[in-house]
Amino acid sequence: MENVQKVAELIEKRVIAKKGGGEKRIDSQHAKGKYTARERIQMLLDEGSFEELDMFVTHRCTNFGLEKEKYLGDGVVTGHGTINGRVVFVFAQDFTVFGGSLSETMAQKICKVMDMAMKMGAPVIGINDSGGARIQEGSNSLAGYAEIFERNILASGVIPQISAIFGPCAGGAVYSPALTDFILMTEQNSYMFVTGPKVVKSVTHEDISTEDLGGAKMHSSKSGVAQFSVEDEQAGISLIRDLISYLPQNNMEEAPVIECHDPIDRMEDSLNEIVPDNPNKPYDMKQIINGIVDNGEFLEVHANYARNIIVGFARFNGVSTGIIANQPSILAGVLDCDASRKAARFVRFCDAFNIPILTLVDVPGFLPGSGQEYAGIIVHGAKLMFAYGEATVPKVTVTIRKSYGGSHIVMSCKQLRGDFNYAWPTAEIAVMGASGAIEVLEGRALKGIEDPEEKAKFIEEKEAEYKKKFANPYQAASMGYIDDVIEPRNTRFRVIRAFQALQTKRVTNPLKKHSNIPL
Ligand code: HXC
């Protein structure tokens, strides 16, 4: 063959490879409102930056006549490119080739980019759209999954791993995304479950739709499996690009600092009046967050799950920061099992990737009751405490209003190595709220008072006495547990100053194989 022909052959092979499973299957993918693997990668990466690898890999299976059906690249498109100029490694399962099902060779392709991402210290983004294990390959496919899972595990805490679910993701296949840092699902076409509706029906007789069993809405609000639910693939891809901008390339680096045009000493006057006089009245913590971060930009994570706590990324003076904040407008901001788990995982992500943490506190306590106790609130609360207490990144805490009992300790208090602990004048730091405290402290005296009016007056007086002592930040500040009481409208400036002072913070934990966080 002449050299010119050789080049022509290469070009032809590339054209064939790019067609995946063929025009018909591409059309069918589009008809479902889905993009193809290559289209997705193209949208995700900076224009022209994608370098594809292993385009000529084909499967090696000879069962069920499969040797007669081969597609260049097999069922996944892999390679690297950039997002806003920063390198990322990607793989996108190609549903047009055997339904994106995982073969031995496909697993090898995915493992190759994961290994490269680890070697180079760059994030991995996986786009999942697959019928699961390639049935014809039997245990070779299962072994391939296990190879991927092991890499997910070893990469955890070293490089950011993001999973987009843009189609089916069922059976054991769900465990690769589950081992990564963030899962994003689309409201249509995307589902994840260990066993599908048909198996559920045959085993438990439960009738349930695909959507209710494993759709984006369910996973982003009920199970908490997905951190993000988006309307469509385009929205999902733009969210991934945004998310990546808050993250470092790996655990040895810091997140990129973006030039900040929002004045660091910007006063937010509205904050002086945001907390209602009545301590039982809610307000929206997101208004405080939006008021203090750069340009009011906040990327909320797990927005629809355990909404009584808010977690997400923002910037202070251009520096990426993780925010954890109780939300008094949902269940009074109480800590329950789900909120504790959600916040704990976020704290650990930030700590693993050198992202400083700001904690905004307004928490009445842990949610009481048998439901929570049976669900293991003790362990889940301990998880959050563990995460905060172990974290060595800069930690700034601002107590806005309530901070009672165990929940005060959990929410990044001074003794859990909070670096700067500030409070607004509206803060109340105590073992418990006034009414609960008086019931305990004055129980015997109250029993002796028959007249209801006299009883009410007694309670009122005692509560007033208690509030005078504890419904403020000054008792804690007098002990040095609160470093300063700050004017609410000046919070942005004080937080930025605190983080600036913490830039060179170095704290290490005792040497160990690993901790034993209460899981
Ligand atoms: C081989 C598969 C496949 C699979 C789909 N295909 N899944 N080939 N192995 N697992 C092929 C189909 O034969 C078809 O080929 C093409 O992909 C598209 O599939 P359709 O069924 O036509 O598409 P659709 O109607 O959209 O349905 C998609 C689907 C369905 C819901 C994913 O294909 C399905 O139920 N597949 C099987 C899912 C499954 O049970 N997988 C194993 C799960 S257990 P043609 O040639 O017609 O285009 C598992 C264990 C993992 O994964 C363990 C890890 C530890």
Side-chain angles (χ1 to χ4, degrees):
M1 198 190 285
E2 293 198 2
N3 285 350
V4 178
Q5 277 175 304
K6 284 181 184 170
V7 174
E9 185 192 35
L10 168 67
I11 292 168
E12 196 193 333
K13 272 183 186 287
R14 282 192 190 284
V15 171
I16 293 169
K18 284 184 180 170
K19 289 218 168 102
E23 294 289 355
K24 238 170 117 183
R25 291 193 183 96
I26 291 175
D27 291 346
S28 140
Q29 179 86 343
H30 287 157
K32 289 180 200 154
K34 290 160 73 177
Y35 288 100
T36 64
R38 280 194 180 77
E39 286 164 347
R40 287 164 175 166
I41 289 177
Q42 215 152 35
M43 289 193 286
L44 175 68
L45 301 178
D46 296 339
E47 204 180 335
S49 71
F50 182 50
E51 294 289 339
E52 190 170 338
L53 302 171
D54 288 340
M55 193 186 241
F56 305 116
V57 164
T58 53
H59 72 74
R60 291 190 282 262
C61 182
T62 53
N63 300 328
F64 304 99
L66 226 61
E67 68 278 6
K68 294 186 211 99
E69 195 178 353
K70 291 198 177 193
Y71 300 90
L72 291 179
D74 208 1
V76 68
V77 180
T78 60
H80 61 89
T82 58
I83 292 182
N84 294 321
R86 299 162 70 215
V87 172
V88 294
F89 286 81
V90 289
F91 65 87
Q93 293 167 336
D94 183 352
F95 195 82
T96 69
V97 176
F98 300 112
S101 59
L102 192 103
S103 65
E104 179 196 13
T105 43
M106 196 171 140
Q108 284 167 352
K109 282 183 67 172
I110 294 173
C111 289
K112 188 193 265 189
V113 283
M114 292 180 79
D115 289 343
M116 284 190 178
M118 279 292 272
K119 205 163 21 172
M120 261 56 86
V124 175
I125 300 162
I127 299 177
N128 296 260
D129 184 2
S130 163
R134 191 167 302 169
I135 296 163
Q136 299 91 330
E137 297 217 3
S139 61
N140 282 348
S141 171
L142 300 185
Y145 270 119
E147 292 282 354
I148 296 170
F149 298 164
E150 181 62 26
R151 281 165 178 78
N152 286 135
I153 294 163
L154 295 179
S156 181
V158 182
I159 51 173
Q161 300 182 80
I162 299 170
S163 302
I165 316 295
F166 285 172
C169 184
V174 296
Y175 287 108
S176 175
L179 291 165
T180 64
D181 298 304
F182 298 101
I183 295 181
L184 178 150
M185 297 180 76
T186 50
E187 279 159 25
Q188 277 138 19
N189 291 326
S190 160
Y191 55 87
M192 294 177 82
F193 36 63
V194 172
T195 43
K198 281 188 198 148
V199 178
V200 169
K201 170 96 178 149
S202 71
V203 176
T204 69
H205 307 293
E206 185 189 1
D207 242 325
I208 189 159
S209 69
T210 300
E211 186 58 33
D212 287 345
L213 186 65
K217 192 166 172 216
M218 192 289 284
H219 278 312
S220 61
S221 62
K222 253 195 188 131
S223 72
V225 164
Q227 280 79 7
F228 302 103
S229 161
V230 290
E231 201 181 327
D232 53 27
E233 293 182 21
Q234 271 168 324
I237 276 166
S238 106
L239 197 146
I240 294 173
R241 288 180 63 91
D242 197 17
L243 175 60
I244 280 279
S245 76
Y246 288 97
L247 313 182
Q249 291 292 88
N250 57 65
N251 65 333
M252 304 298 281
E253 290 187 15
E254 314 245 314
V257 178
I258 309 288
E259 199 179 337
C260 176
H261 299 288
D262 190 356
I264 63 166
D265 56 356
R266 174 172 53 76
M267 291 277 177
E268 190 65 29
D269 290 336
S270 65
L271 297 187
N272 274 8
E273 284 159 28
I274 195 167
V275 176
D277 289 334
N278 178 351
N280 298 323
K281 232 178 138 185
Y283 61 92
D284 186 0
M285 182 65 87
K286 283 188 193 163
Q287 285 183 2
I288 298 183
I289 296 173
N290 292 336
I292 61 175
V293 301
D294 290 359
N295 313 309
E297 284 167 11
F298 178 55
L299 175 61
E300 191 171 356
V301 175
H302 259 147
N304 300 321
Y305 175 72
R307 289 162 60 227
N308 38 329
I309 202 156
I310 302 165
V311 305
F313 298 104
R315 292 187 182 88
F316 284 100
N317 197 20
V319 179
S320 178
T321 306
I323 297 181
I324 294 105
N326 310 110
Q327 172 56 293
S329 69
I330 309 281
L331 296 170
V334 77
L335 277 178
D336 55 10
C337 296
D338 291 349
S340 303
R341 276 195 319 126
K342 164 176 162 178
R345 182 152 172 83
F346 188 72
V347 167
R348 279 169 72 81
F349 177 82
C350 292
D351 189 48
F353 289 102
N354 313 316
I355 298 171
I357 293 171
L358 172 69
T359 305
L360 302 174
V361 184
D362 188 347
V363 62
F366 283 101
L367 183 61
S370 58
Q372 289 293 305
E373 295 293 351
Y374 295 171
I377 183 78
I378 295 173
V379 167
H380 296 302
K383 202 172 284 176
L384 181 54
M385 185 178 319
F386 203 110
Y388 266 123
E390 197 180 37
T392 57
V393 287
K395 288 183 282 189
V396 175
T397 306
V398 181
T399 302
I400 307 294
R401 189 167 63 174
K402 295 170 196 164
S403 186
Y404 294 154
S407 60
H408 159 75
I409 296 171
V410 166
M411 293 301 295
S412 199
C413 74
K414 194 86 192 148
Q415 295 74 16
L416 286 187
R417 303 197 300 194
D419 294 304
F420 288 107
N421 290 64
Y422 294 142
W424 283 12
T426 44
E428 304 175 13
I429 301 167
V431 173
M432 59 175 80
S435 66
I438 296 313
E439 232 167 81
V440 176
L441 293 177
E442 304 297 342
R444 203 176 307 156
L446 281 168
K447 265 190 204 149
I449 307 173
E450 298 278 317
D451 179 38
E453 246 176 65
E454 199 186 322
K455 203 174 204 171
K457 194 161 166 271
F458 178 81
I459 291 174
E460 198 181 310
E461 276 170 16
K462 288 291 173 192
E463 281 191 7
E465 195 185 322
Y466 183 87
K467 279 182 188 165
K468 199 164 168 225
K469 186 143 190 68
F470 290 120
N472 62 64
Y474 298 108
Q475 196 264 340
S478 75
M479 303 302 295
Y481 305 148
I482 290 295
D483 296 300
D484 198 8
V485 181
I486 63 173
E487 204 183 332
R489 67 188 187 128
N490 199 23
T491 302
R492 170 174 167 78
F493 181 62
R494 297 300 299 267
V495 165
I496 289 174
R497 270 286 182 80
F499 280 128
Q500 281 173 342
L502 291 167
Q503 253 173 8
T504 49
K505 178 184 174 186
R506 286 283 174 271
V507 169
T508 49
N509 288 323
L511 272 180
K512 53 182 109 173
K513 186 174 176 191
H514 59 69
S515 58
N516 188 16
I517 187 166
L519 292 174

